[in-house]
Amino acid sequence: MNALTYLGGPTALIEYGGLRLLTDPTFDAPGDYPIGERKLVKLAGPALSTDEVGAVDTVLLSHDQHPDNLDKAGRGYAAASPLVLSTRSAAERLGGPVRALPNWETHKIGDIRITGTPAQHGPDGSEHLVGEVTGFVLSGDGLLPTVYVSGDNASLDVVRQVARRSGPIDVAVLFVGAARTPLVGDADLTLSSANAARATEILGARRVVPLHFEQWGHFTQGADSLTAAFAQAGLSERLHVPKPGETVEL
């Protein structure tokens, strides 16, 4: 069975094609996490510890420069993993098992193809402020479903690129929450609930599992707004909002 276990924040264990993959490792306790003169506030810890998760075959790291996507314990976990796929800048900063996976290039492990996709972590023109981010598409010959992991992306134009180049997408794992910080004012750093519903339509995804919509103070939208937005779009049956520790069949 292909499945996703939600640990909290952006972190999920994906069991796919006989392999174990972990998205954006975050295992630190709640508290304040500075970024320069700013800080992010973590409100809850992970549903499972690193020991409870155990070893994985690959870490899918959307980016390394923000502590809500890679924290201290997550860095240790990633460094001890056999392979981490991420951005070019993350590979340069972290070294070790981190390998850059450029947009639209594919890394094959076992029967799985992992393809890098673009991600835009904020409004147009904010890339120099927020840094490089990536997403992933999981697929394989004879493997279903095809899974899109968006990473921290706020752009529907990026979603359209993924739909054109990697579709059809069966399951979309979307980083949502309409994250906001003073860095880009009142602009969203990740998909809003309404744009998550629109992304579902663009991708034609039969199922959506949202991540990164709670457990941090800079999220402005959560489970209730997701449920309402998908209902308004007539897509309620496609949305599954997981609870921490829950395993969802893909």
Side-chain angles (χ1 to χ4, degrees), residues 7-8 16 19-20 31 47 55-56 61 64 78 80 87 91 100 102-103 105 123 137-138 161 180 185 217 223 239:
L7 276 64
Y16 184 80
L19 298 178
R20 306 177 86 238
V56 295
L61 177 62
D64 70 305
T87 63
N103 294 340
E105 290 193 12
V137 169
L138 312 179
Q161 291 180 51
R180 293 188 177 185
L239 177 69

Side-chain angles (χ1 to χ4, degrees), residues 158-179:
V158 164
V159 175
R160 292 185 184 97
Q161 291 180 51
V162 172
R164 284 196 301 268
R165 296 194 58 157
S166 299
I169 298 296
D170 300 304
V171 176
V173 179
L174 300 179
F175 288 32
V176 292

Side-chain angles (χ1 to χ4, degrees), residues 83-88 91 95-102 105-107:
L83 175 66
V84 180
L85 297 176
S86 191
T87 63
R88 174 194 51 79
V98 185
R99 171 175 172 173
L101 184 63
E105 290 193 12
T106 295
H107 179 87

Side-chain angles (χ1 to χ4, degrees), residues 184-211:
V184 293
D186 60 357
D188 291 339
L189 291 162
T190 51
L191 290 174
S192 67
S193 296
N195 279 347
R198 183 68 186 121
T200 301
E201 295 175 324
I202 292 168
L203 294 165
R206 62 169 175 78
R207 188 159 213 194
V208 173
V209 182
L211 298 182

